[in-house]
Amino acid sequence: MDQRVHVPIDGPNADTEWNDILRKHGVIPEKPPSPTPIIQEALEEARKQAYENRLEDKNLDELNELEDEEDEAFLEKYHNQRMTELSEIATTSVFNQVYPLQKPNYSKDVTEASDKAFVLVHLTSSLGTNIESRLLTELWREMARKFGDIKFCEIRADMCIEGYPERNTPTILIYRDGDIKKQVVTLRELNGQYTTVRDVQNLMVGIGALKPKDHRVVSSAQTDREDPYRSIRSGNINAAKADDDDDWD
């Protein structure tokens, strides 16, 4: 009766002379390649990409400050790129305000207009005590001034849709190419009564209304400034009204 011979082996991936002999005779499979070179190559490529794209998020002022630190041709490339972006934005910035809507003209002012640009509609509350709706009205004004290539509109929810629940206000409707691309009911999805311009910008980036590297998008450093809507967030209606009155003086 034949007896099975047990061939002693070290750990199959060990670098030993005995394992080399076994691999040579096909007793154990070839040792898989070490992942270390692949990982190192990937890290090196990531570092290279990060270095090559180091100026992607810089605006014109920041680029000008780097004149003594960067290669002139490389810096000029990004400078020209920013100038082209600014020119395109200037050409398409035709709105620059919040447009009040009337129900009879809704199709023309919103649905048809969305064939040419993103249109964002704020269905407002009919109650002056709705903090989120009042906050979004102020954010809408700021966003409209900053992003003139996007149309910002407002209409009272119950005047737009008969019987629309007050508890669902504010509601944001985002239109493009004649269709609603996204609907946000109240600001809970964003940050509630603590929603900021940055939160709305992130929403717009997410649906493609803004490019992530658009120089107008607020950087994290810029969000550290004093909150201009603190009176609204605290529910202090009289203080908020006073702030509004000051803006018109």
Side-chain angles (χ1 to χ4, degrees), residues 121-125 133 155-157 160-161 164 169-173:
V121 179
H122 170 202
L123 300 182
T124 71
S125 167
S133 188
I155 184 173
R156 218 172 77 179
C160 181
I161 306 170
Y164 193 79
T169 61
T171 292
I172 299 173
L173 302 177

Side-chain angles (χ1 to χ4, degrees), residues 108-128:
K108 175 178 178 292
D109 293 340
V110 176
T111 309
E112 294 178 18
S114 71
D115 288 334
K116 297 180 180 179
F118 273 92
V119 180
L120 277 69
V121 179
H122 170 202
L123 300 182
T124 71
S125 167
S126 61
L127 304 176

Side-chain angles (χ1 to χ4, degrees), residues 202-218:
N202 289 341
L203 171 67
M204 295 164 66
V205 169
I207 54 95
L210 288 175
K211 296 178 181 178
K213 294 182 179 179
D214 190 314
H215 72 278
R216 298 170 296 174
V217 173
V218 173

Side-chain angles (χ1 to χ4, degrees), residues 75-90:
L75 198 60
E76 184 67 16
K77 167 193 168 185
Y78 280 93
H79 186 275
N80 291 338
Q81 183 175 317
R82 293 295 175 273
M83 291 299 293
T84 299
E85 292 171 357
L86 289 172
S87 177
E88 291 175 351
I89 290 171

Side-chain angles (χ1 to χ4, degrees), residues 138 141 145 240-249:
E138 296 305 315
R141 293 176 184 175
R145 289 191 295 266
K241 185 177 184 301
D243 289 343
D244 288 341
D245 292 341
D246 290 342
D247 290 340
W248 289 100
D249 290 342

Side-chain angles (χ1 to χ4, degrees), residues 90-115:
T91 300
T92 56
S93 292
V94 297
F95 302 113
N96 300 106
Q97 64 176 348
V98 177
Y99 290 81
L101 296 174
Q102 298 294 327
K103 187 174 181 178
N105 300 325
Y106 192 95
S107 178
K108 175 178 178 292
D109 293 340
V110 176
T111 309
E112 294 178 18
S114 71
D115 288 334

